[in-house]
């Protein structure tokens, strides 16, 4: 790209035994804390700067590292004979500017995670894969590094071949031969056309499976050119900013004024579903562009990105960068370069976009700030919302958190005056919030007139009436598969995954039992895969079974399904577009259907079973249930048509369901903070989780007791009110053949808690246990 300040990677050979002219501290992208000292020869110092990349020797490897500090004199006490020289400098300008580098240091410190690994997480997409290229011959290495900068313009797409009506041979040929073929066919039936790249992400050995299906004539494979980025391949008509409601105007004015005044301020925008929060976001982005600054917009799910990108392009054009894992590395890197050079100053993306190199950052927006998807649950366990707050604060920018159901912690901060609360109490279209009805399954029964499980009489009647009016329905069930568990009478057991302590889920279309934690799969033809007994019972209802029940009960309805079995990431937009275009009458889905989508003709939402999330062993279970119910209910009646929501439950008297029925967030919040205050959970206390696992059960138990003894032996003057809860087996005790345990550290004082955690981390680094993996999760969200 012309005008880029980053040149394509080259390797500059250092002179033989040069005299060091500079000493630098380098962060290496390995799970090692601290930095490493290297020397820089006289002829290589010109491009060495903080935040820049260098190739350094590390043991027998050559790795890309990041310069953190530099000095003309060596550090005191350093054995100069052991210092190794830098091999090459990769950039004319730093990859990370001073503001972003400082932010990343703070993030590493806060989450007790190795700095080099944090920098790798934030690094350009292509950069993360360079370590593999460094093992090659120098000329091949440079060629490989440069090749990663080129955009790939072609992609392979797969579709189901047209059926031959009435041809029995054709119908027989289309039948799957094995669970992987069935899985591919199921995805194609739901989506129509899918790229081979996406199929490979969802199905093991997808290329070979597609080749076999193509050989039988079941699928058609086509390779064609695609736009450099999928979000810019269509023409979007320019929109006209709508008139604002009084509440929208007040919220927009407060945010715009803070942007104009260059204030470091945080807003929590609490608006009911359909209240027009996105329009307020667009007014804020317009204001920040007018003062010549940049904006960063975060959404919790890739599936929400196309919708927001479309709204942005209609208002401002194509001058934005889209960053998330659903696009290719080369495309993501091209976006990163535009931001880094200042050519583009607005970025939209999911969680990891918080690290985008937006220049002159003036505004950070976090949509659906309550969503647990903002929390990374492995490796670098950061929370995208919390890092967005930190980044805005360090950049002196305005930060806006938006949600119809704010997290308890965020709403508490607003009540305490740390955030400015903006309320949008009515819908932008003046349409009323949908009427919510509780269906007591104890009274009306699990089966209605159709005989299908969990299709009660009130729900069946409501769907029928909706179809008569030509309107659309969303049915929400947060369980994938056909049956959540299978019981064998001969074994007298629920069939479990051999590697995890969870039930195997039956997927009928694939003809398989699958584990949703480790992806173990076993063929299933109605007999127990352990003892071969045919006396098995499918228990419960998943989205696949619900979809089949709706198709059977309502033959006139066009039914679709949206869950991770048929769509993931950006692919979900294909299914959602079918609903928007009126090609579906009923959409069955998991929580993918609950988040931020706008469907004008959806007037009925059915929550199939509201009780499941309430029984989870997690202090946030009530909060998550309320949020899910409120969010999915908000999909109904968003335009001119009135909405209706039916919530099926065996606990109609539960306080969470009462608050959801009346759209009473403030009432729910009051109930929840009362319970949390008594127990010392956030926002009234801080917690850190120690998560341990090992293939050897005894080793992880011994290590957990050793850590508990270490913490209990710490002087009371250091521990303050820090309490140790556990250690105990995790609620899901085994995953991927590893036994899991966890302990919680809880305190009302954050600095004291951090001192205890810092001592614990130092102790674990100094005394690692063989075969045991232990990580600290600061501010944990996922407790299972």
């Amino acid at each position: 790209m012309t005008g880029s300040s980053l040149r394509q990677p080259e390797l500059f050979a250092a002179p033989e035994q040069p005299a060091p002219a500079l000493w630098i501290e380098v962060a290496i992208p390995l799970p090692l804390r601290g930095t490493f000292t290297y020397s820089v020869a006289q002829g290589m110092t010109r491009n060495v700067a903080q935040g820049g990349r260098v190739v350094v020797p590390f043991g027998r490897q050559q790795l890309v590292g990041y310069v953190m500090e530099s000095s003309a004199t060596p550090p005191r006490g350093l054995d100069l004979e052991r210092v190794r020289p830098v091999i090459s400098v990769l950039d004319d300008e730093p990859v990370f500017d001073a503001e972003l580098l400082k932010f990343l240091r703070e993030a590493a410190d806060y989450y007790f995670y190795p700095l080099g690994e944090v920098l790798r997480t934030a690094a350009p997409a292509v950069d993360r894969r360079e370590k593999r290229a460094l093992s090659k011959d120098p000329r091949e290495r440079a060629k490989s590094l440069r090749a990663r900068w080129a955009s790939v313009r072609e992609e392979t797409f797969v579709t189901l071949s047209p059926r031959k009506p009435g041809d029995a041979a054709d119908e027989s040929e289309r039948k799957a031969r094995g669970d992987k073929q069935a899985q591919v066919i199921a995805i194609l039936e739901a989506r129509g056309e899918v790229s081979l790249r996406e199929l490979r992400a969802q199905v093991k050995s997808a290329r070979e499976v597609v080749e076999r299906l193509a050989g039988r004539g079941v699928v058609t494979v086509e390779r064609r050119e695609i736009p450099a980025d999928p979000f810019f391949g269509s023409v979007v008509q320019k929109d006209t900013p709508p008139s604002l409601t009084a509440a929208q105007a007040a919220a927009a004015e407060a945010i715009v004024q803070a942007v104009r005044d260059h204030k470091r301020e945080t807003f929590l925008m609490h608006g009911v579903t359909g209240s027009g929060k996105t329009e307020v976001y667009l007014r804020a982005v317009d204001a920040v562009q007018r003062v010549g600054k940049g904006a960063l917009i975060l959404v919790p799910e890739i599936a929400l990105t196309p919708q927001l990108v479309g709204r942005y392009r209609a208002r401002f054009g194509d001058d934005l960068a889209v960053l998330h894992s659903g696009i290719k590395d080369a495309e993501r890197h091209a976006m990163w370069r535009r931001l880094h050079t200042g050519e583009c100053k607005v970025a939209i993306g999911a969680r990891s976009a918080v690290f985008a190199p937006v220049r002159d950052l003036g505004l950070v927006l976090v949509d659906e700030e309550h969503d647990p998807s903002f929390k990374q649950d492995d490796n670098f366990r950061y929370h995208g919302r919390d890092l967005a707050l930190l980044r805005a604060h360090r950049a002196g920018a305005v930060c806006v958190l938006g949600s119809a159901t704010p997290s308890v912690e965020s709403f508490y901060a607003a009540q305490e005056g740390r955030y400015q609360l903006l309320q949008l109490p009515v819908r932008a279209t003046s349409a009323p919030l949908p009427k919510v009805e509780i269906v007591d399954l104890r009274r009306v029964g699990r089966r209605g007139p159709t005989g299908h499980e969990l299709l009660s009489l009130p729900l069946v009647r409501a769907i029928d009436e909706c179809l008569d009016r030509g309107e659309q329905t969303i049915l929400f069930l947060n369980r994938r598969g056909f049956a959540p568990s299978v019981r064998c009478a001969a074994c007298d057991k629920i069939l479990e995954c051999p590697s995890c302590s969870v039930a195997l889920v039956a997927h009928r279309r694939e003809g398989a039992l699958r584990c949703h934690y480790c992806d173990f799969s076993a063929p299933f033809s109605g007999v127990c895969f352990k003892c071969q007994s045919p006396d098995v019972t499918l228990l419960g209802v998943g989205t696949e079974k619900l979809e089949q029940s709706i198709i059977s009960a309502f033959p006139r309805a066009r039914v679709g399904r949206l869950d991770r079995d048929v769509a993931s990431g950006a692919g979900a937009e294909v299914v959602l577009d079918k609903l928007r275009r009126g090609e579906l009458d009923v959409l069955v889905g998991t929580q993918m259907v609950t988040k931020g989508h706008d469907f004008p003709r959806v007037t009925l939402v059915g929550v199939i079973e509201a009780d499941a999330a309430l029984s989870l062993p997690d202090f946030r279970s009530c909060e998550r249930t309320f949020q899910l119910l409120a969010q999915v209910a908000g999909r109904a009646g968003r335009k001119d048509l009135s909405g209706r929501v039916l919530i099926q439950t065996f606990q109609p008297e539960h306080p969470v369901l009462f608050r959801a029925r009346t759209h009473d967030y403030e009432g729910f919040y009051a109930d929840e903070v009362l319970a949390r205050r008594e127990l010392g959970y956030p926002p009234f206390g801080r917690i850190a989780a120690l998560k341990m696992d090992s293939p050897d059960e005894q080793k992880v138990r011994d290590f957990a007791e050793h850590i508990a003894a270490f913490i209990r032996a710490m002087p009371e003057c250091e521990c303050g009110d820090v309490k140790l809860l556990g250690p105990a087996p995790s609620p899901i005790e085994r995953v991927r053949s590893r036994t899991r345990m966890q302990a919680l550290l809880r305190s009302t004082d954050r600095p004291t808690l951090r001192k205890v955690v810092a001592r614990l981390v130092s102790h674990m680094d100094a005394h690692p246990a063989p075969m045991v993996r232990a990580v600290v999760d600061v501010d944990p969200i996922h407790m299972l």
Side-chain angles (χ1 to χ4, degrees):
M1 181 180 295
T2 57
S4 172
S5 61
L6 290 181
R7 67 163 170 259
Q8 294 184 354
E10 298 177 10
L11 298 176
F12 305 100
E16 291 187 9
Q17 298 181 339
L22 199 64
W23 307 86
I24 60 174
E25 295 297 315
V26 178
I28 304 294
L30 291 173
L32 300 170
R33 301 184 196 279
T35 57
F36 299 85
T37 304
Y38 289 89
S39 63
V40 184
Q42 184 68 43
M44 300 175 62
T45 59
R46 181 172 60 88
N47 296 320
V48 175
Q50 271 191 329
R53 300 179 302 167
V54 290
V55 178
V56 296
F58 194 86
R60 297 182 179 181
Q61 305 177 74
Q62 293 180 4
L63 301 177
V64 174
Y66 302 88
V67 179
M68 304 306 298
E69 305 286 349
S70 63
S71 174
T73 58
R76 289 184 179 179
L78 188 67
D79 183 355
L80 301 185
E81 296 296 323
R82 300 185 61 186
V83 177
R84 302 173 73 179
V86 165
I87 296 172
S88 67
V89 180
L90 291 181
D91 306 306
D92 286 335
E93 290 188 1
V95 172
F96 303 114
D97 62 25
E99 178 262 316
L100 188 53
L101 194 63
K102 183 180 179 182
F103 161 70
L104 293 169
R105 276 183 182 271
E106 287 190 79
D109 290 342
Y110 183 77
Y111 288 104
F112 296 96
Y113 203 69
L115 177 59
E117 294 279 75
V118 172
L119 294 174
R120 178 167 61 179
T121 301
V126 174
D127 188 25
R128 296 175 202 170
R129 296 169 58 191
E130 288 178 354
K131 183 170 73 172
R132 191 180 310 160
L134 289 170
S135 62
K136 301 178 180 179
D137 172 84
R139 273 184 285 186
E140 285 298 314
R141 180 193 311 160
K143 182 179 178 182
S144 176
L145 294 179
R146 290 193 197 98
R148 298 189 190 281
W149 291 63
S151 293
V152 178
R153 304 288 298 180
E154 288 190 342
E155 189 156 351
T156 300
F157 291 88
V158 185
T159 56
L160 283 173
S161 300
R163 291 179 183 268
K164 301 172 185 175
D167 189 331
D170 179 64
E171 291 298 318
S172 175
E173 193 61 40
R174 292 179 72 94
K175 290 183 179 179
R177 299 176 182 174
D179 60 316
K180 290 179 182 177
Q181 290 190 17
Q183 192 175 354
V184 168
I185 291 172
I187 293 170
L188 295 175
E189 285 179 342
R191 298 269 305 280
E193 180 180 79
V194 183
S195 71
L196 180 60
R197 176 170 58 92
E198 187 176 344
L199 284 174
R200 291 175 68 182
Q202 293 186 256
V203 183
K204 292 180 181 178
S205 307
R207 183 183 295 276
E208 292 78 8
V209 173
V210 168
E211 287 175 355
R212 287 194 291 271
L213 289 171
R216 293 166 46 208
V218 177
V219 302
T220 303
V221 179
E222 178 188 7
R223 188 166 180 81
R224 63 175 182 265
E225 288 192 355
I226 60 170
D229 184 270
F231 295 104
F232 300 92
S234 60
V235 177
V236 175
Q237 291 187 343
K238 188 82 172 175
D239 78 344
T240 302
S243 299
L244 300 180
T245 65
Q248 281 179 303
E253 178 59 29
I255 297 169
V256 168
Q257 194 60 50
V259 168
R260 289 172 179 163
D261 294 343
H262 306 288
K263 284 186 177 180
R264 179 189 284 117
E265 192 159 359
T266 300
F267 296 91
L268 174 63
M269 184 161 58
H270 173 214
V272 299
T273 54
S275 59
K277 294 183 287 294
T278 302
E279 182 59 37
V280 177
Y281 297 156
L282 294 177
R283 304 292 174 107
V285 172
D286 180 60
V288 82
Q289 289 184 318
R290 289 178 184 275
V291 298
K293 291 206 165 189
L296 176 59
I297 306 167
L298 301 183
V299 294
E301 293 276 1
I302 295 173
L304 293 180
T305 309
Q307 182 173 296
L308 189 55
V309 168
R311 291 285 302 273
Y312 181 95
R313 291 179 63 207
R315 183 68 54 87
F316 302 112
D318 291 346
D319 191 18
L320 80 158
V322 181
L323 301 166
H324 64 69
S325 60
I327 56 179
K328 294 181 180 179
D329 281 352
E331 294 161 358
R332 192 159 62 248
H333 190 271
M335 297 283 189
W336 184 94
R337 291 174 67 199
R338 293 185 67 213
L339 292 168
H340 184 270
T341 59
E343 180 186 342
C344 173
K345 302 190 77 170
V346 178
I348 298 177
R351 179 178 58 219
S352 61
V354 73
F355 305 117
V358 178
R359 294 290 179 95
D360 302 316
L361 189 62
L363 176 68
V364 179
L365 299 171
V366 184
D367 191 29
E368 307 293 356
E369 66 85 26
H370 68 278
D371 199 296
S373 299
F374 278 119
K375 175 72 172 181
Q376 175 79 15
D377 199 33
D378 56 14
N379 300 321
F380 179 27
R381 297 168 184 258
Y382 67 93
H383 198 301
R385 178 202 61 209
D386 295 347
L387 286 189
L389 288 164
L390 175 64
R391 183 154 186 207
H393 183 77
R394 292 294 179 257
V398 173
C399 186
V400 181
L401 310 179
S403 177
T405 53
S407 66
V408 170
E409 291 89 340
S410 294
F411 202 76
Y412 180 77
Q415 297 294 313
E416 292 287 293
R418 287 181 280 132
Y419 303 164
Q420 184 175 337
L421 181 63
L422 306 173
Q423 297 272 22
L424 304 181
V426 296
R427 286 184 157 178
T429 60
S430 298
L433 289 169
K435 179 183 178 183
V436 180
E437 304 167 32
I438 303 297
V439 177
D440 185 354
L441 292 177
R442 298 173 306 184
R443 185 175 60 83
V444 302
R446 296 172 62 92
R447 300 176 188 270
T450 67
H452 295 286
E453 192 173 6
L454 292 181
L455 287 183
S456 66
L457 175 61
L459 182 59
V460 169
R461 285 177 174 171
I463 295 172
D464 223 11
E465 293 166 2
C466 192
L467 291 171
D468 288 341
R469 296 192 302 269
E471 296 165 3
Q472 295 172 311
T473 299
I474 289 177
L475 298 178
F476 168 60
L477 176 63
N478 213 20
R479 286 196 301 264
R480 290 187 288 142
F482 190 85
S485 58
V486 179
R487 183 181 182 277
C488 173
C491 295
D492 195 24
K493 288 181 179 178
I494 299 292
L495 299 185
E496 287 195 348
C497 172
S499 300
C500 310
S501 53
V502 295
L504 290 169
V505 179
H507 291 254
R508 174 170 285 185
R509 189 174 292 177
E510 298 172 27
L513 297 175
R514 285 174 53 196
C515 174
H516 289 174
Y517 285 82
C518 73
D519 210 28
F520 167 83
S521 178
F524 181 64
S525 57
V527 299
C528 175
F529 75 97
K530 290 184 177 180
C531 72
Q532 305 304 311
S533 169
D535 193 3
V536 295
T537 305
L538 301 181
L539 303 175
V541 177
T543 49
E544 184 186 355
K545 183 175 182 179
L546 179 61
E547 177 193 25
Q548 293 303 311
S549 297
I550 296 297
I551 291 171
S552 173
F554 303 96
R556 57 176 170 152
R558 297 165 297 173
V559 183
R561 173 162 58 100
L562 181 57
D563 56 32
R564 280 187 294 171
D565 292 330
V566 297
S568 63
E573 188 65 14
V574 177
V575 180
L576 296 173
D577 272 344
K578 287 185 177 181
L579 190 66
R580 289 192 188 95
R581 294 193 301 266
E583 296 174 12
L584 296 176
D585 300 309
V586 181
L587 179 62
V588 173
T590 56
Q591 61 182 355
M592 296 172 74
V593 304
T594 70
K595 301 179 180 182
H597 306 295
D598 194 352
F599 306 112
R601 295 200 61 77
V602 170
T603 57
L604 175 64
V605 167
V607 179
I608 301 302
E609 191 174 12
D611 308 306
L614 290 170
S615 60
L616 294 176
D618 186 340
F619 72 90
R620 289 190 175 92
S621 61
C622 287
E623 179 182 12
R624 287 189 184 148
T625 300
F626 179 86
Q627 289 167 342
L628 277 173
L629 295 177
Q631 291 287 338
V632 73
R635 301 315 106 207
R638 291 173 69 95
K639 297 296 182 183
D640 300 327
L641 303 172
S642 59
R644 183 184 181 192
V645 181
L646 270 64
I647 300 177
Q648 298 187 149
T649 177
F650 290 97
Q651 306 177 67
E653 68 286 346
H654 199 288
V656 167
L657 301 183
F658 172 77
R659 299 299 186 185
R661 183 177 65 82
T662 55
H663 303 283
D664 185 6
Y665 173 82
E666 284 81 1
F668 160 76
Y669 169 80
D671 296 342
E672 187 68 8
V673 294
L674 185 64
R676 293 198 192 180
R677 191 190 301 271
E678 291 179 2
L679 298 171
Y681 282 120
F684 304 101
R686 294 284 177 173
I687 57 176
L690 175 62
K691 300 182 178 182
M692 303 154 280
D693 62 74
S694 172
D696 188 313
E697 180 178 350
Q698 191 57 50
K699 285 187 183 297
V700 73
R701 291 184 181 277
D702 291 344
F703 180 75
E705 289 304 322
H706 165 75
I707 291 300
F710 172 79
I711 295 172
R712 294 185 185 113
M714 291 177 64
E716 188 174 339
C717 60
E718 294 183 20
C719 289
D721 71 341
V722 175
K723 290 182 172 60
L724 172 66
L725 306 179
S730 299
I732 300 176
E733 191 170 353
R734 242 176 0 108
V735 173
R736 299 182 184 273
S737 299
R738 300 181 72 93
T739 300
R740 307 161 73 232
M741 296 194 72
Q742 64 183 22
L744 289 182
L745 291 169
R746 188 178 68 194
S747 175
T748 58
D749 183 63
R750 180 194 284 180
T752 302
L753 177 62
R754 291 191 59 77
K755 287 178 183 177
V756 172
V757 173
R759 281 202 59 186
L760 175 61
V761 169
S762 296
H763 178 78
M764 291 193 301
D765 286 347
H767 302 88
M771 298 177 64
V772 177
R773 181 171 55 195
V775 296
V776 170
D777 188 357
V778 178
D779 304 327
I781 295 292
H782 307 284
M783 306 300 291
L784 298 183

